[in-house]
Structure formats: structure tokens, C-alpha cells
């Protein structure tokens, strides 16, 4: 029997284990309430669903251009131009099979095996795991509350040499923190000055609270890469559609790789997603953000009442990231993974342990998603209170 490849020897995405356990609990008890999923609980906007029906009746749905249909690239370019006040046109846009597909293509196009790429810890695990599978050397910057869980120019200056790449996320998963506009601009300038490719994950743009200013890396550097997606704000995770704003120097490599690896993104998703950028869709999507804001406030108020007081700021996205180290030990478990497992077994409430997001301190943290209904968040706090 053929053995596994060395490159496949990477960490699993542990939250998927939570989903599997939650499905089994639902099968046996029928009482699962999940705050573990990193996705909206709402369907695609109504104009998108309507457009999908029209597409099914009126389009062949064959292969498209590798970088996506022009109508969608125009809509994405206009979205960025309006949102950030910068000139973006369709030639700058590369449509991909989800933001996950964007990261894989970009890592292949920009980095060679052995290149050093810097990421923040805590952070989204697929960055480091995909890079590791491709043979890159991943350096994690320990980002704590003192820097709002985000990397800084000072951290980059402390590295022994400039890395090939730096990945930032704002708002970030799992912390929800937003990089200060001046700090993001500083990071972009440092990367330009040192030959480092800045990759700015902006898939949670549009989901913010308290007047936080979300700026784009392209407002400072057109040599950076901006990654977007219809998954989060646009409530279309299963449609598997993402995009990149890409400098001209990388487009040839991306074209060669994408045409061989994926041919094109899903055609039906491309045609339908044009409607996601209309005023009607945006109004519907903004109403979801209003609900997220209510749910966020419930958690930021309710968790401290339960003694869970060390919380990341949650400037954007739909997560609260909490330190539960003081609750560990005894009947509830010695790690956050055990703690979450026993919480699910005892109450049917599913939360995500922090080990996915922080390889050093994650055994004492949890992530709670508040993308569901307000009633679900209230019930989650009730179950958690009773259990504790």
C-alpha cells in the first residue's frame, strides 16, 4: 500500500471534529446548539437566489474564463472602488474557488519551498497548514492583547531577516480584531521596502461594530494582494467563490496555475454572485450585521457575568475569543479541547476550542460564533451558566 506523502503530515482542522461530534449528539439527543461554526446562519441574499433560478434556465453553465467572468470581476472592482475610495478595475481581479482556493494558488505563485512566511498567532489555521504542506517555513508572531492580537512593524523589525511573505487578517479569525489603519499602512510600506509580499485577508470586511475603520492594504500598496470572499458578509459560504486583487507581476503565474489546477471557479456561483453586490442585497446583508451586533453585545455582557472576563476586543467578524484557563481542571477538563467536548456531551452546546488558532496558548482558549439567531445566543448563555 502506498504511504501518505510527507506534505500531508499537517495539523487537522480540529473544529471539524467538533462538528462531527455535534452531529452525533444531534442524532442521539436532538438538542444541539452550535456556536462553533464560522459561517452565517442565513441563506444567500434574495436577489442572488432569484438570479440563480434565472441562470439555471438561461445559461449553459460550461467553463468560464480562468480568472472569472467579466461581469463579476467588474462588480468586485466596483465594490472595492466604492468601499475603499481607490481605483480598481476588472483586470486587477482574479476570481477563485473560495478564498481557500485563492490562498493555495497565491502561495504556489509567490513562494518556493523553503521560503519564510510570517503569520499571526492566534490566527486562521489554514494559512500555516497550507503553507507547511507546500514546503514553506512558517514563522508565527505571538500577538497578544498588548497589540490587539495583531502583528506590528516592530515585530517584523525584530526578525533575523525580511520574510518572503506576511499574512494579515482584519477583521481577524478568531479574535475579530481590526488592524488600526495607520498600522496596516505601516505594515504595507515595510513590506514594500523589504521585498516582502503582504497578503491582506479582508474576507470579513463589512462586518464591523462601534465605528471601527476598516481599510484595505491596496489603499497603501498596490504590490500587496487583497483576498476577498462571498462567504462571510455576503452569507454565501457553500457557493465557494472568492477573489484576489493582484499586482500585475503575479497574474501570469496565477493564470498558468489556475488554468491547470481548477480551469475556472464554479460557473453558477459566478453568474449568481453578481447580484450579491446590488443595493438590494447589501441592504439585506447589512440587516444581518445588525443582528450580529445584538448577539455580540449579549456575549460581551453575558460571559463576564459567568466569570469569563478575558475577551478579545471583537471589533468585527462574528466571533468572541475568550481565555478560560481559570476554569480548567477537575470535572470540566484540563484543556479547552476537553472542556468543549464535555460541554457538548453534557449540554448539547458546541463551541470551538482554541487549539486550531493558537498552537501555543490555544489549550486555554475558546471561540464562540455569534452568527446565529439572537435566541440561540441567549440559550447558549443559559446552558453555559447552568453547566458552570
Amino acid at each position: 500500500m502506498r504511504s501518505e506523502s510527507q506534505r500531508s503530515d499537517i495539523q487537522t482542522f480540529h473544529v471539524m471534529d467538533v462538528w462531527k461530534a455535534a452531529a452525533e449528539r444531534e442524532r442521539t439527543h436532538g438538542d444541539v446548539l452550535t456556536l462553533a461554526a464560522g459561517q452565517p446562519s442565513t441563506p444567500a441574499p434574495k436577489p442572488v437566489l432569484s438570479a440563480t433560478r434565472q441562470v439555471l434556465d438561461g445559461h449553459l453553465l460550461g467553463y468560464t474564463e480562468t480568472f472569472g467572468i467579466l461581469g463579476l470581476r467588474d462588480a468586485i472592482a466596483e465594490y472595492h472602488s466604492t468601499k475603499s475610495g481607490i481605483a480598481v478595475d476588472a483586470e486587477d481581479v482574479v476570481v477563485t474557488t473560495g478564498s481557500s482556493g485563492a490562498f493555495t494558488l497565491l502561495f504556489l505563485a509567490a513562494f518556493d519551498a523553503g521560503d519564510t512566511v510570517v503569520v499571526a498567532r492566534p490566527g486562521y489555521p489554514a494559512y500555516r497548514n497550507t503553507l507547511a504542506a507546500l514546503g514553506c517555513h512558517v514563522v508565527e508572531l505571538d500577538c497578544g492583547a498588548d497589540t490587539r492580537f495583531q502583528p506590528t512593524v516592530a515585530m517584523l523589525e525584530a526578525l533575523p531577516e525580511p520574510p518572503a511573505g506576511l499574512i494579515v487578517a482584519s477583521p481577524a479569525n478568531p479574535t475579530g480584531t481590526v488592524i488600526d489603519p495607520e498600522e496596516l499602512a505601516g505594515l504595507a510600506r515595510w513590506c514594500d521596502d523589504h521585498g516582502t509580499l503582504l497578503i491582506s485577508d479582508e474576507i470579513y470586511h463589512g462586518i464591523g461594530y462601534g465605528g471601527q475603520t476598516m481599510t484595505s492594504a491596496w489603499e497603501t500598496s498596490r504590490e500587496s494582494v487583497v483576498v476577498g470572499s462571498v462567504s462571510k458578509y455576503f452569507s454565501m459560504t457553500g457557493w465557494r467563490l472568492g477573489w484576489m486583487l493582484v499586482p500585475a507581476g503575479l497574474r501570469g503565474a496565477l493564470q498558468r496555475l489556475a488554468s491547470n489546477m481548477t480551469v475556472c471557479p464554479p460557473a453558477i456561483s459566478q453568474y449568481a454572485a453578481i447580484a450579491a453586490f446590488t443595493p438590494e442585497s447589501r441592504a439585506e446583508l447589512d440587516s444581518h450585521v445588525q443582528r450580529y451586533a445584538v448577539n455580540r453585545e449579549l456575549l460581551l455582557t453575558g460571559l463576564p457575568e459567568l466569570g469569563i472576563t478575558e475577551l478579545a476586543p471583537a471589533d468585527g467578524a462574528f466571533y468572541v475569543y475568550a481565555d478560560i484557563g481559570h476554569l480548567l481542571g477537575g470535572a470540566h477538563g484540563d484543556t479547552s479541547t476537553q472542556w468543549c467536548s464535555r460541554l457538548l456531551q453534557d449540554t448539547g452546546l458546541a463551541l470551538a476550542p482554541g487549539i486550531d488558532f493558537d498552537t501555543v496558548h490555544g489549550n486555554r482558549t475558546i471561540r464562540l460564533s455569534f452568527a446565529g439567531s439572537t435566541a440561540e445566543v441567549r440559550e447558549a448563555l443559559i446552558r453555559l451558566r447552568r453547566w458552570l
Side-chain angles (χ1 to χ4, degrees):
M1 180 181 294
R2 180 70 180 177
S3 61
E4 296 179 343
S5 68
Q6 291 183 0
R7 68 166 55 92
S8 68
D9 186 20
I10 58 174
Q11 289 292 314
T12 187
F13 202 172
H14 292 89
V15 74
M16 298 303 180
D17 296 332
V18 176
W19 290 7
K20 181 179 179 180
E24 177 61 18
R25 169 80 187 198
E26 180 64 22
R27 186 186 70 81
T28 58
H29 290 71
D31 64 348
V32 166
L33 176 61
T34 180
L35 270 63
Q39 64 177 352
S41 58
T42 46
K46 290 182 177 63
V48 171
L49 299 178
S50 177
T52 304
R53 299 182 185 99
Q54 295 176 27
V55 169
L56 287 171
D57 291 334
H59 285 269
L60 176 63
L61 294 179
Y63 297 133
T64 72
E65 296 177 57
T66 296
F67 281 177
I69 60 175
L70 180 59
L72 178 58
R73 287 186 284 127
D74 275 332
I76 292 169
E78 176 61 25
Y79 166 73
H80 280 281
S81 297
T82 302
K83 177 172 67 75
S84 301
I86 54 177
V88 180
D89 61 43
E91 290 300 309
D92 300 318
V93 179
V94 174
V95 181
T96 59
T97 306
S99 62
S100 298
F103 284 114
T104 301
L105 286 171
L106 180 59
F107 296 164
L108 284 167
F111 306 129
D112 287 313
D115 280 351
T116 297
V117 182
V118 173
V119 300
R121 189 181 69 239
Y124 183 54
Y127 303 148
R128 68 170 187 273
N129 292 337
T130 304
L131 286 164
L134 297 177
C136 292
H137 174 56
V138 180
V139 172
E140 295 181 301
L141 299 178
D142 192 0
C143 301
D146 57 330
T147 64
R148 296 175 58 78
F149 301 94
Q150 293 284 1
T152 64
V153 170
M155 292 179 185
L156 298 178
E157 292 284 2
L159 296 172
E161 60 182 9
L166 166 68
I167 305 175
V168 298
S170 177
N173 176 11
T175 61
T177 57
V178 171
I179 300 178
D180 178 82
E182 292 184 3
E183 190 68 48
L184 180 58
L187 290 168
R189 287 191 293 266
W190 189 94
C191 287
D192 281 356
D193 291 344
H194 292 81
T196 298
L197 177 65
L198 173 63
I199 302 170
S200 181
D201 182 347
E202 301 178 6
I203 69 171
Y204 289 97
H205 272 216
I207 308 176
Y209 316 100
Q212 283 286 340
T213 301
M214 296 183 193
T215 54
S216 173
W218 261 36
E219 294 177 42
T220 301
S221 170
R222 303 294 285 248
E223 293 303 310
S224 62
V225 175
V226 168
V227 179
S229 169
V230 299
S231 289
K232 307 303 182 178
Y233 168 73
F234 292 94
S235 194
M236 295 171 63
T237 51
W239 299 68
R240 306 316 301 136
L241 205 65
W243 68 84
M244 295 181 278
L245 304 185
V246 180
L250 284 171
R251 293 174 197 166
L254 287 166
Q255 172 72 33
R256 295 190 297 273
L257 289 163
S259 62
N260 280 283
M261 295 179 68
T262 59
V263 180
C264 67
I268 189 170
S269 299
Q270 291 187 64
Y271 285 108
I274 296 173
F277 298 91
T278 63
E280 294 80 7
S281 288
R282 297 291 300 279
E284 183 178 336
L285 296 167
D286 286 342
S287 72
H288 299 333
V289 178
Q290 293 173 10
R291 184 183 78 255
Y292 300 156
V294 173
N295 295 349
R296 169 184 177 269
E297 187 60 30
L298 283 172
L299 289 180
L300 293 184
T301 301
L303 290 173
E305 292 175 354
L306 303 181
I308 302 174
T309 59
E310 293 188 45
L311 311 174
D315 305 319
F318 34 62
Y319 308 115
V320 170
Y321 192 62
D323 189 316
I324 59 163
H326 60 293
L327 298 177
L328 299 177
H332 288 164
D334 296 321
T335 69
S336 61
T337 301
Q338 295 170 347
W339 192 90
C340 287
S341 177
R342 293 178 185 178
L343 174 65
L344 176 61
Q345 292 172 16
D346 293 346
T347 72
L349 175 59
L351 307 180
I355 192 61
D356 270 329
F357 313 105
D358 191 326
T359 56
V360 176
H361 309 295
N363 270 326
R364 56 180 294 125
T365 59
I366 57 173
R367 189 195 71 177
L368 303 89
S369 170
F370 51 83
S373 70
T374 299
E376 288 172 334
V377 173
R378 292 185 190 278
E379 174 62 20
L381 286 169
I382 290 172
R383 294 190 193 185
L384 187 55
R385 179 186 298 276
R386 289 172 179 165
W387 188 67
L388 291 176

